[in-house]
Amino acid sequence: MKKSTLFSHVGRPKIGRGTSVNPSVTHASTLLFEKADDLYNGNHRIYGRHGSEVHDALKEAFCALEDGAGCTLTPSGLAANALSILANVKAGDHILVSDSSYGPVRKFCDNHLVKFGVETEYFPPRLGKDIESLIRDNTSCLILESPGSLTLEIQDLPAIVKVAKKAGIITIVDNTWSAGLVYNPLNLGADIAVHAATKYYSGHSDVLFGAIISRTKELAAKVHATNIHLGNSTSPDDAYTILRGFRTITTRFERQEKTALTLAQWLQSHAKVDEVLHPALSTHPDHDIWKRDFTGSACLFSVVLKPCSQAQVLKFLDSLKYFAKGFSFGGYESLIIHCDPQLKRSHSDGFAGPLIRIACGLEDITDLQLDLEQGLATLSLDDNVA
Ligand SMILES: Cc1ncc(COP(=O)(O)O)c(C=O)c1O
């Protein structure tokens, strides 16, 4: 079954007489039982933190998306990343984290995990099978994100997973960029896929949400237990909104994917642009791996401008009419940021010029192109490079 068909049907109530199309939303902290014995015995929900009908429907949708055996919902994408790691480490462990992982994941590892005696080592995202040389006896997890945040390196997941499996290490992949629609880490051998559903599944930049999908029931139970111990829960209204995002995501995604690729191709030959970082371009260093492992691209890519000062970059961004300045992607609106103030890498030579990230929304592509064109026209490359 194609994803668009699946997402029109998954997680819907069984039809009876006059059944609503969508699952109902119930608000509850306390759940009541007719029989006292049911408070402690039986395999049912006993408290609001354990979810509701709409949470179950959403978990079913995420499992269908990623071919997973179980799903845990979290209050944000960052929480999904942090929780998936926390569930799989203990004091004294060493974890390997891709150098191009989402910045706040790095902060979680460096500032939080370290307090519990978990050591983080960052590896170059293009290391591939050579990651074997970094594995230690106490390595417990590999944390990947493909393409990487801001710099869009594609990782050789099958090669990395082969090494991880041999060493008995859990592989966790942040799959937010692809929305799970054009990349399936679990089918390539990874153990856990993580989503910031805040992006495409919200689709309207108004809900923070995350999901952790595990390949096996055992792993899913481990993640679920950690979530329960931490006392996390998500609101039924937010779960409903994210499930609603599933119904339209394939159409929105395809449109945004096409806009991004068209703009990326056009920007490649623009006089003010040094390099476009988009894995579907044949010039991308990891294009062959992308072609082998992905079935498409997404709304998000980066551009290296020809060398110019920070003041010029800010002038360019401020001149844009339709690309709003803000963090995130996958919403209906186009966004743009300059990346250099947040770009933190342990293994990188940097770029020839300033790095800009572009997230394409649902606006008309001609308007978006004209906006970038007039913005780039304001950019003076002659200005002293800061
Ligand atoms: C790749 C990736 N993972 C995780 C997150 C975090 O998601 P959230 O904003 O829901 O915490 C982001 C947010 O930008 C992201 O880009």
Side-chain angles (χ1 to χ4, degrees):
M1 194 194 305
K2 297 279 188 219
K3 287 273 185 335
S4 55
T5 311
L6 178 66
F7 294 164
S8 291
H9 293 270
V10 71
R12 282 178 40 191
K14 191 170 179 303
I15 301 174
R17 282 188 162 175
T19 309
S20 68
V21 171
N22 297 296
S24 53
V25 174
T26 50
H27 297 93
S29 53
T30 298
L31 304 178
L32 301 177
F33 300 91
E34 193 185 1
K35 305 275 184 215
D37 190 45
D38 288 341
L39 287 168
Y40 296 104
N41 294 310
N43 195 18
H44 48 260
R45 257 191 276 276
I46 56 165
Y47 194 57
R49 235 177 8 238
H50 302 152
S52 67
E53 182 191 336
V54 73
H55 291 96
D56 289 347
L58 182 57
K59 288 179 189 182
E60 189 188 335
F62 274 116
C63 283
L65 171 72
E66 289 282 11
D67 288 335
C71 170
T72 292
L73 304 174
T74 61
S76 72
L78 177 57
N81 273 283
L83 188 79
S84 63
I85 300 173
L86 215 45
N88 288 290
V89 291
K90 60 180 187 321
D93 279 0
H94 163 254
I95 62 170
L96 287 164
V97 178
S98 168
D99 205 19
S100 58
S101 288
Y102 176 58
V105 169
R106 218 179 161 105
K107 286 188 187 145
F108 168 72
C109 295
D110 293 347
N111 300 312
H112 192 83
L113 280 187
V114 69
K115 289 195 290 191
F116 299 94
V118 177
E119 183 189 350
T120 300
E121 182 177 349
Y122 294 98
F123 66 92
R126 297 192 164 109
L127 197 55
K129 66 176 171 33
D130 291 340
I131 201 161
E132 187 152 25
S133 63
L134 301 180
I135 307 271
R136 303 182 195 164
D137 289 346
N138 60 340
T139 307
S140 56
C141 289
L142 296 181
I143 314 301
L144 274 55
E145 188 188 324
S146 187
S149 270
L150 310 176
T151 43
L152 290 118
E153 299 90 342
I154 300 284
Q155 304 197 281
D156 190 343
L157 183 59
I160 291 173
V161 157
K162 204 166 157 194
V163 173
K165 285 203 186 306
K166 206 169 99 190
I169 295 168
I170 297 290
T171 306
I172 301 170
V173 182
D174 185 324
N175 196 19
T176 302
W177 183 84
S178 92
L181 297 178
V182 295
Y183 188 50
N184 187 308
L186 301 192
N187 287 343
L188 291 173
D191 298 295
I192 291 178
V194 171
H195 282 272
T198 306
K199 317 297 175 192
Y200 293 104
Y201 287 94
S202 153
H204 297 72
S205 306
D206 52 3
V207 175
L208 287 155
F209 212 88
I212 304 166
I213 304 103
S214 302
R215 197 158 53 81
T216 64
K217 286 215 177 306
E218 293 70 33
L219 260 181
K222 218 167 148 181
V223 174
H224 173 73
T226 309
N227 199 37
I228 293 287
H229 295 153
L230 289 175
N232 288 337
S233 72
T234 55
S235 101
D237 295 313
D238 288 350
Y240 182 89
T241 307
I242 298 299
L243 182 60
R244 188 164 61 177
F246 268 85
R247 310 304 182 199
T248 55
I249 191 165
T250 53
T251 307
R252 290 185 282 112
F253 188 90
E254 276 168 26
R255 161 80 176 256
Q256 289 171 265
E257 173 191 18
K258 192 171 163 204
T259 298
L261 185 54
T262 309
L263 289 179
Q265 283 160 340
W266 166 70
L267 284 165
Q268 255 192 319
S269 52
H270 195 285
K272 305 278 174 72
V273 169
D274 187 66
E275 193 183 350
V276 179
L277 310 180
H278 187 305
L281 298 177
S282 59
T283 48
H284 190 278
D286 311 316
H287 180 68
D288 289 344
I289 301 177
W290 171 82
K291 226 160 73 179
R292 184 193 66 193
D293 294 346
F294 288 67
T295 55
S297 55
C299 76
L300 191 71
F301 66 101
S302 292
V303 172
V304 181
L305 298 174
K306 292 259 173 74
C308 61
S309 69
Q310 162 115 342
Q312 284 297 317
V313 174
L314 300 184
K315 195 169 106 188
F316 159 53
L317 296 187
D318 289 347
S319 75
L320 296 170
K321 207 160 96 187
Y322 299 126
F323 286 90
K325 294 165 293 279
F327 298 106
S328 204
F329 60 95
Y332 62 86
E333 80 292 11
S334 292
L335 295 171
I336 194 162
I337 55 167
H338 54 307
C339 306
D340 295 299
Q342 61 159 304
L343 197 58
K344 189 163 190 294
R345 298 287 187 260
S346 305
H347 310 269
S348 171
D349 299 332
F351 296 102
L355 186 68
I356 304 294
R357 188 181 75 175
I358 294 175
C360 298
L362 291 168
E363 301 92 335
D364 182 85
I365 186 165
T366 313
D367 290 332
L368 293 180
Q369 185 171 338
L370 284 173
D371 198 24
L372 288 174
E373 179 73 84
Q374 68 78 25
L376 286 167
T378 69
L379 198 65
S380 165
L381 300 179
D382 300 328
D383 204 21
N384 271 346
V385 176

